[in-house]
Amino acid sequence: MEQTVEKPEKKIMLVDQNAYFASVEQQCNPELRGKPIGVCGEGRTIIVTASYEARWFGVKTGMTLPEARRLCPNLIPVIGNLDKYIDTSLKIHKIFLEFTNKVEVFSIDECFLDVTETEYLFGGAVEIAKKIKKTMAEETGIKCSIGIAPNKVVAKIAAKSKKPDGLVVVGGDEVKDFMAAIPVEKLQGVGIGRKISQKLKYMGINTAKQLGEADLGLLKSRFGILGGFYKNIGLGLSESTVKDYSGQIPIKSVGHSHTLPQDTYDIAVIRSYMLLLCEKTAARLREYKMKGRTVSMAVRFGDFDMYASRDTLKHYFNSGVEIFNLAMSIFEKVLPLQKPVRLLGVSISNLAVDDRQKYLFNDFEKKSKLLEVMDNINKKYGDFTLRPTSLITAEKYGILGRCGIISTRLIK
Amino acid sequence: MSVTVIEEKIKTGVIFSKNRIYPKWFMWRERKIDVTEITYMWNTAEGDAMIIHFSATGAGGYYELS
């Protein structure tokens, strides 16, 4: 007689730190607790995160400070500190790793955990969620919303469905009912963006249930191969697994972005910032012992319009100057500037391991040695202790607290 | 509520306990300020050096010390 062993139902958790940056700031400064605050960039007036007290007045991420103040006159602007948020994230990762090594960092304030194989050690997935909430509150003061479900898609929607400080459990046999009433616009963050949800609405698809029941042929004719993917989201199905925390090291791209203290048309200033970003990107690439072939450059203008493009060379490289040359050749496509530049971003992809091969040509060998010496000095004494003189223009113009990082930080 | 960036070197009295360091007071502009509460701690690195940052309250104010 043939016996079949049933696989246990997956227990996937999504932990979402509530109003993360604002919560950290409120923890730091007791004067801010219980008050409407908006975390902004230095010298800038865009709300990056609003506290729940500010959200009650309608303040949202992306609003300008004057817009937010019209809704909430008592709003307190607080300058954000990414170092603080990254360090707190790493502390929170440590808490998660007490329960499972299957911890996938989804963003600075969201992680997926797969506790299927470890839940029995801690009294079940719900107990783990409660312990995570308690430890996070004790150690960091941060509240979180947790969704538990058989897959990542439903876990994320579940976590989003009750904020702040929620805990929503959706069992395998409850997925259909849970998804039935979810409007398509609430599927953002699980693969259906704002534009797609608008298109779905034009097609008369307003809920996840309707999306799940929609004709596959129709969805494929409208969205191509993604049609099937969207239908599965509607049905609350997902095969995507939670990656091991230590298995997330393979880096696909490295980059930096920087919002300028003031919008500018000045090419000398832009070149200097671009070099700063390229040098930072190159230093990180070399720290990871990698090299790349494709450089992507993005520029955001004063009116928030974006231009982004990429270029690929035949050979691999990891020097700041080479990244800079390629990035500037892309940037030149937007010259002469029609509007001032607000933000610059550079990243390098198409990566390979830098095997530190010896170069046949003396010039390459010299450059390689020079970079190695420079990296060692900067590693010992801090970023940009040794730096190209052409960065002085950017330094004079003002370097904000830190450049944005286009990657995920993990505990080493 | 206003924030002043000071970035001055200060003299600090600290205690070491359980492999950690806790500021108890600091001298700023010839005034001794007792730390009432450490509300937050975080680390950054500058080269090989680890920098410990503290959010602290004392003498009716809120301070960030590194």
Side-chain angles (χ1 to χ4, degrees), chain B residues 33-48:
Chain B
I33 296 172
D34 287 317
V35 172
T36 316
E37 190 191 354
I38 305 281
T39 53
Y40 221 73
M41 281 170 70
W42 72 99
N43 301 326
T44 56
E46 200 167 306
D48 281 349

mmCIF file of all heavy atoms in Angstrom, chain B residues 33-48:
data_model
loop_
_atom_site.group_PDB
_atom_site.id
_atom_site.type_symbol
_atom_site.label_atom_id
_atom_site.label_comp_id
_atom_site.label_asym_id
_atom_site.label_seq_id
_atom_site.Cartn_x
_atom_site.Cartn_y
_atom_site.Cartn_z
ATOM 1 N N ILE B 33 26.612 68.610 32.828
ATOM 2 C CA ILE B 33 25.234 68.160 32.596
ATOM 3 C C ILE B 33 25.145 66.684 32.959
ATOM 4 O O ILE B 33 25.852 65.847 32.378
ATOM 5 C CB ILE B 33 24.815 68.404 31.119
ATOM 6 C CG1 ILE B 33 24.812 69.917 30.854
ATOM 7 C CG2 ILE B 33 23.450 67.783 30.832
ATOM 8 C CD1 ILE B 33 24.617 70.313 29.426
ATOM 9 N N ASP B 34 24.314 66.370 33.945
ATOM 10 C CA ASP B 34 24.118 64.969 34.332
ATOM 11 C C ASP B 34 23.164 64.300 33.348
ATOM 12 O O ASP B 34 22.135 64.877 32.985
ATOM 13 C CB ASP B 34 23.524 64.890 35.740
ATOM 14 C CG ASP B 34 24.562 65.242 36.788
ATOM 15 O OD1 ASP B 34 25.711 64.771 36.664
ATOM 16 O OD2 ASP B 34 24.234 66.017 37.709
ATOM 17 N N VAL B 35 23.537 63.099 32.908
ATOM 18 C CA VAL B 35 22.668 62.359 31.986
ATOM 19 C C VAL B 35 21.545 61.721 32.799
ATOM 20 O O VAL B 35 21.793 60.945 33.719
ATOM 21 C CB VAL B 35 23.480 61.281 31.221
ATOM 22 C CG1 VAL B 35 22.556 60.378 30.417
ATOM 23 C CG2 VAL B 35 24.505 61.937 30.302
ATOM 24 N N THR B 36 20.326 62.084 32.481
ATOM 25 C CA THR B 36 19.180 61.530 33.212
ATOM 26 C C THR B 36 18.831 60.151 32.661
ATOM 27 O O THR B 36 18.596 59.213 33.397
ATOM 28 C CB THR B 36 17.942 62.460 33.046
ATOM 29 O OG1 THR B 36 18.364 63.802 33.207
ATOM 30 C CG2 THR B 36 16.848 62.111 34.028
ATOM 31 N N GLU B 37 18.805 60.060 31.324
ATOM 32 C CA GLU B 37 18.415 58.784 30.704
ATOM 33 C C GLU B 37 19.108 58.620 29.351
ATOM 34 O O GLU B 37 19.194 59.575 28.579
ATOM 35 C CB GLU B 37 16.891 58.768 30.490
ATOM 36 C CG GLU B 37 16.346 57.410 30.075
ATOM 37 C CD GLU B 37 14.884 57.466 29.608
ATOM 38 O OE1 GLU B 37 14.235 58.528 29.709
ATOM 39 O OE2 GLU B 37 14.398 56.436 29.120
ATOM 40 N N ILE B 38 19.612 57.409 29.114
ATOM 41 C CA ILE B 38 20.095 57.081 27.757
ATOM 42 C C ILE B 38 18.874 56.515 27.045
ATOM 43 O O ILE B 38 18.367 55.465 27.419
ATOM 44 C CB ILE B 38 21.198 56.001 27.778
ATOM 45 C CG1 ILE B 38 22.359 56.398 28.691
ATOM 46 C CG2 ILE B 38 21.673 55.655 26.376
ATOM 47 C CD1 ILE B 38 23.319 57.361 28.111
ATOM 48 N N THR B 39 18.410 57.204 26.052
ATOM 49 C CA THR B 39 17.176 56.752 25.406
ATOM 50 C C THR B 39 17.444 55.855 24.196
ATOM 51 O O THR B 39 16.576 55.092 23.786
ATOM 52 C CB THR B 39 16.329 57.959 24.953
ATOM 53 O OG1 THR B 39 17.160 58.811 24.159
ATOM 54 C CG2 THR B 39 15.780 58.724 26.135
ATOM 55 N N TYR B 40 18.639 55.937 23.625
ATOM 56 C CA TYR B 40 18.926 55.131 22.432
ATOM 57 C C TYR B 40 20.423 55.029 22.220
ATOM 58 O O TYR B 40 21.169 55.938 22.603
ATOM 59 C CB TYR B 40 18.293 55.782 21.199
ATOM 60 C CG TYR B 40 17.663 54.790 20.254
ATOM 61 C CD1 TYR B 40 16.471 54.165 20.571
ATOM 62 C CD2 TYR B 40 18.269 54.469 19.036
ATOM 63 C CE1 TYR B 40 15.888 53.254 19.714
ATOM 64 C CE2 TYR B 40 17.683 53.559 18.175
ATOM 65 C CZ TYR B 40 16.497 52.956 18.517
ATOM 66 O OH TYR B 40 15.924 52.055 17.677
ATOM 67 N N MET B 41 20.851 53.929 21.642
ATOM 68 C CA MET B 41 22.273 53.741 21.314
ATOM 69 C C MET B 41 22.369 53.153 19.929
ATOM 70 O O MET B 41 21.572 52.287 19.581
ATOM 71 C CB MET B 41 22.913 52.730 22.288
ATOM 72 C CG MET B 41 23.260 53.290 23.629
ATOM 73 S SD MET B 41 23.711 51.970 24.775
ATOM 74 C CE MET B 41 25.267 51.460 24.110
ATOM 75 N N TRP B 42 23.337 53.609 19.142
ATOM 76 C CA TRP B 42 23.581 52.970 17.855
ATOM 77 C C TRP B 42 25.050 53.113 17.483
ATOM 78 O O TRP B 42 25.753 53.948 18.055
ATOM 79 C CB TRP B 42 22.657 53.513 16.759
ATOM 80 C CG TRP B 42 22.949 54.894 16.274
ATOM 81 C CD1 TRP B 42 23.631 55.254 15.154
ATOM 82 C CD2 TRP B 42 22.527 56.126 16.887
ATOM 83 N NE1 TRP B 42 23.675 56.626 15.043
ATOM 84 C CE2 TRP B 42 23.006 57.180 16.088
ATOM 85 C CE3 TRP B 42 21.799 56.431 18.030
ATOM 86 C CZ2 TRP B 42 22.774 58.506 16.388
ATOM 87 C CZ3 TRP B 42 21.569 57.776 18.351
ATOM 88 C CH2 TRP B 42 22.055 58.790 17.527
ATOM 89 N N ASN B 43 25.490 52.272 16.588
ATOM 90 C CA ASN B 43 26.909 52.246 16.222
ATOM 91 C C ASN B 43 27.101 52.608 14.757
ATOM 92 O O ASN B 43 26.256 52.285 13.920
ATOM 93 C CB ASN B 43 27.493 50.836 16.405
ATOM 94 C CG ASN B 43 27.357 50.354 17.830
ATOM 95 O OD1 ASN B 43 27.430 51.138 18.766
ATOM 96 N ND2 ASN B 43 27.135 49.070 18.001
ATOM 97 N N THR B 44 28.215 53.248 14.475
ATOM 98 C CA THR B 44 28.643 53.412 13.089
ATOM 99 C C THR B 44 30.144 53.107 13.056
ATOM 100 O O THR B 44 30.759 52.972 14.120
ATOM 101 C CB THR B 44 28.416 54.858 12.576
ATOM 102 O OG1 THR B 44 29.081 55.759 13.447
ATOM 103 C CG2 THR B 44 26.951 55.206 12.479
ATOM 104 N N ALA B 45 30.679 53.000 11.854
ATOM 105 C CA ALA B 45 32.112 52.734 11.747
ATOM 106 C C ALA B 45 32.766 53.842 10.952
ATOM 107 O O ALA B 45 32.185 54.360 9.988
ATOM 108 C CB ALA B 45 32.338 51.401 11.057
ATOM 109 N N GLU B 46 33.957 54.236 11.376
ATOM 110 C CA GLU B 46 34.751 55.168 10.580
ATOM 111 C C GLU B 46 36.113 54.506 10.427
ATOM 112 O O GLU B 46 36.905 54.486 11.370
ATOM 113 C CB GLU B 46 34.850 56.517 11.284
ATOM 114 C CG GLU B 46 35.215 57.613 10.315
ATOM 115 C CD GLU B 46 35.023 58.992 10.916
ATOM 116 O OE1 GLU B 46 33.918 59.297 11.401
ATOM 117 O OE2 GLU B 46 35.993 59.752 10.919
ATOM 118 N N GLY B 47 36.328 53.922 9.281
ATOM 119 C CA GLY B 47 37.528 53.101 9.131
ATOM 120 C C GLY B 47 37.435 51.927 10.084
ATOM 121 O O GLY B 47 36.383 51.307 10.199
ATOM 122 N N ASP B 48 38.515 51.649 10.800
ATOM 123 C CA ASP B 48 38.533 50.545 11.759
ATOM 124 C C ASP B 48 37.829 50.915 13.070
ATOM 125 O O ASP B 48 37.529 50.049 13.877
ATOM 126 C CB ASP B 48 39.986 50.159 12.095
ATOM 127 C CG ASP B 48 40.591 49.305 10.996
ATOM 128 O OD1 ASP B 48 39.820 48.870 10.114
ATOM 129 O OD2 ASP B 48 41.817 49.084 11.012
#
